[in-house]
Amino acid sequence: VSGGLAGVKTQLTTGNNGTVVATGPTGFLRADAEASGVRGRVFWNRSRQVAKELLVLAEPAFDYDVADATIGYGLALPFGNLLDVGGGYRLNAAQSGVFRPGVRRQSLWSVFGEDQCTIRPGVTAVVSGRLDHHPFTGWVASPRGSVIVEPRHGDAIRLSGGRSFRNPTIMQNYLDFTQRFPNPGPLPPNPPFTAIESRLVGNEMLKPERMTMGEAAYTASLGAVRATLVGFAYRLEDVIGTSDPETSVAKAPVFSVWNSYVGRGDVDAWGGEAGIEARVRRWLTLTANYSHERLKDEEGHLRNREAPRHKVNGGVVGRWRRITTGLFADWVGRTEWNAANPGAPREYFPLPAFLLVNANLGCEIVEGLSASVGAFNLLNRRHHEILGAESPVRPGHNGEVIGRLVSGSVSYSF
């Protein structure tokens, strides 16, 4: 049995609506039990928060409760099969000034099963499936399967495929709020329209997002060197986004528009990752990897603007007697972010590529007593990782400048 309670006061970005300071208590209770192959878990998450400094409404409350119960059973079957089956129930309840009036509740049901079978030594198959029920989307199936082949000791080939989903959130179903902000641009004409009023409304008819994916991976061990190569492709269907704004009222000095959440089509993606880890000395290990991803929509346009196409990581780890040290470098490619105000056409701004260097040093002073120091962004290359604000009427994504952070710790165990 476990539980916790925290007092929260944290600043969050709300995109083009600026920032918000969420304050209030949040906590949980949880219990887990297992006996004779049967395992069960129940938990309750509860939050009572107020959003302060929000531009949309005057300090609306955000109250939510999540109650969840899951039970599973595992057993061994003939011919090398390991079967696991179970089911669960979850109740989501939320109430807020930015939702439609009243407490909004959703009951979610699920059943699942997985079978792992050793076909012969070095060949394993895993087949699983899950059924989930949502009050607005009905039953949705998620089948998955993998085959793992070990051609020799230390090497592995894995082929995986499956279909998964994401149901719309309570916010996407029930949101209903109106915001007003200054009109800095020429469209609609300014003057006479000096302010834009935008209403965003939830949609209870949304379909779940669905993803069909395939992946192939090869891991090889060559003495002190371990290498991994992965390729993947997936298709994301019925991607949930906001609709294009429609004019509701155009009466000077306010130009009013509204939009809602809709399925905005499909996205195809493919990419891969290559990585290597080499132990060049008993006390020295080198690591490096590169990843690439490309996304295209139904019309063939590239979609991964706010996600980098290229990422490169590398590191050096040393262990000498009681001392452990590490130096890591991460390079992230250029991105573009939509900074248009709600109700306005999309407007993308570039975010340059950046290099992040992190380091740590630890030492076991005596048995049980250790000390360490770490530096995040060691070179203090000040940069944005999401789009920063240009002005009060162009808040972008309220990204903050990332600078150097140095921290230290001392621990004693007995």
Side-chain angles (χ1 to χ4, degrees):
V1 177
S2 58
L5 181 66
V8 175
K9 184 178 182 182
T10 183
Q11 185 186 54
L12 305 171
T13 178
T14 60
N16 296 331
N17 296 325
T19 57
V20 58
V21 177
T23 64
T26 181
F28 76 96
L29 290 173
R30 174 172 166 168
D32 295 82
E34 184 173 358
S36 302
V38 179
R39 66 187 186 281
R41 182 192 67 195
V42 295
F43 70 81
W44 173 38
N45 294 346
R46 173 185 172 90
S47 178
R48 297 293 182 265
Q49 296 188 12
V50 175
K52 297 185 177 182
E53 303 178 19
L54 182 64
L55 298 179
V56 179
L57 296 171
E59 299 190 356
F62 288 87
D63 300 341
Y64 73 82
D65 292 89
V66 178
D68 185 281
T70 304
I71 188 169
Y73 179 62
L75 69 160
L77 297 178
F79 308 107
N81 287 272
L82 298 175
L83 180 64
D84 189 83
V85 294
Y89 170 77
R90 173 172 294 191
L91 174 65
N92 294 331
Q95 185 175 15
S96 174
V98 299
F99 291 166
R100 299 169 191 173
V103 178
R104 298 295 163 180
R105 296 182 177 88
Q106 292 183 344
S107 293
L108 311 177
W109 298 87
S110 65
V111 292
F112 58 84
E114 178 179 280
D115 182 61
Q116 177 176 316
C117 176
T118 302
I119 300 175
R120 63 180 179 83
V123 180
T124 302
V126 180
V127 179
S128 62
R130 181 180 170 109
L131 282 172
D132 287 84
H133 185 270
H134 185 278
F136 295 148
T137 64
W139 288 101
V140 181
S142 303
R144 293 179 293 273
S146 295
V147 176
I148 303 98
V149 179
E150 299 178 40
R152 67 183 183 92
H153 181 72
D155 290 9
I157 301 171
R158 177 177 55 83
L159 301 175
S160 300
R163 190 163 168 81
S164 57
F165 76 98
R166 184 187 73 85
N167 274 321
T169 65
I170 284 185
M171 181 170 291
Q172 291 167 341
N173 285 146
Y174 299 121
L175 194 69
D176 190 349
F177 74 86
T178 302
Q179 57 185 326
R180 180 180 294 192
F181 48 88
N183 176 27
L187 295 174
N190 183 14
F193 299 106
T194 59
I196 297 178
E197 191 173 78
S198 176
R199 182 187 181 195
L200 181 56
V201 184
N203 183 0
E204 298 180 9
M205 303 300 293
L206 287 171
K207 297 179 181 179
E209 295 180 344
R210 299 299 307 267
M211 184 173 75
T212 304
M213 59 79 65
E215 184 176 276
Y218 178 64
T219 301
S221 295
L222 303 172
V225 178
R226 185 174 179 83
T228 302
L229 183 65
V230 181
F232 68 86
Y234 66 81
R235 182 175 180 83
L236 190 60
E237 304 170 17
D238 296 316
V239 179
I240 297 175
T242 54
S243 63
D244 295 330
E246 298 183 17
T247 303
S248 55
V249 178
K251 185 176 181 181
V254 178
F255 189 86
S256 298
V257 297
W258 77 277
N259 60 344
S260 184
Y261 292 101
V262 295
R264 294 192 65 93
D266 305 335
V267 174
D268 291 304
W270 63 97
E273 181 175 3
I276 188 170
E277 178 180 303
R279 190 173 183 180
V280 296
R281 291 287 187 273
R282 188 173 61 179
W283 52 271
L284 181 64
T285 303
L286 305 180
T287 63
N289 78 321
Y290 165 76
S291 61
H292 177 78
E293 182 180 38
R294 295 177 69 90
L295 297 88
K296 285 189 176 182
D297 60 18
E298 292 175 312
E299 299 176 355
H301 299 141
L302 288 173
R303 286 286 300 270
N304 50 325
R305 287 182 162 181
E306 296 179 0
R309 290 192 202 174
H310 309 278
K311 295 179 70 176
V312 181
N313 308 293
V316 180
V317 178
R319 296 178 178 88
W320 179 255
R321 294 183 178 178
R322 295 177 179 269
I323 297 175
T324 302
T325 185
L327 183 66
F328 308 93
D330 306 308
W331 181 86
V332 178
R334 179 180 182 272
T335 54
E336 294 181 345
W337 295 74
N338 174 32
N341 287 314
R346 291 178 176 268
E347 190 175 5
Y348 287 93
F349 290 83
L351 199 62
F354 63 87
L355 175 67
L356 194 65
V357 177
N358 305 323
N360 61 62
L361 175 65
C363 177
E364 185 182 17
I365 302 171
V366 295
E367 185 176 356
L369 179 62
S370 301
S372 65
V373 61
F376 173 81
N377 195 7
L378 177 66
L379 303 181
N380 200 27
R381 298 174 66 103
R382 300 174 67 82
H383 63 277
H384 283 90
E385 294 186 1
I386 60 174
L387 197 65
E390 292 187 0
S391 67
V393 295
R394 281 191 174 276
H397 291 256
N398 301 285
E400 296 183 0
V401 174
I402 306 298
R404 181 190 292 127
L405 173 65
V406 179
S407 59
S409 67
V410 177
S411 62
Y412 179 68
S413 59
F414 55 91

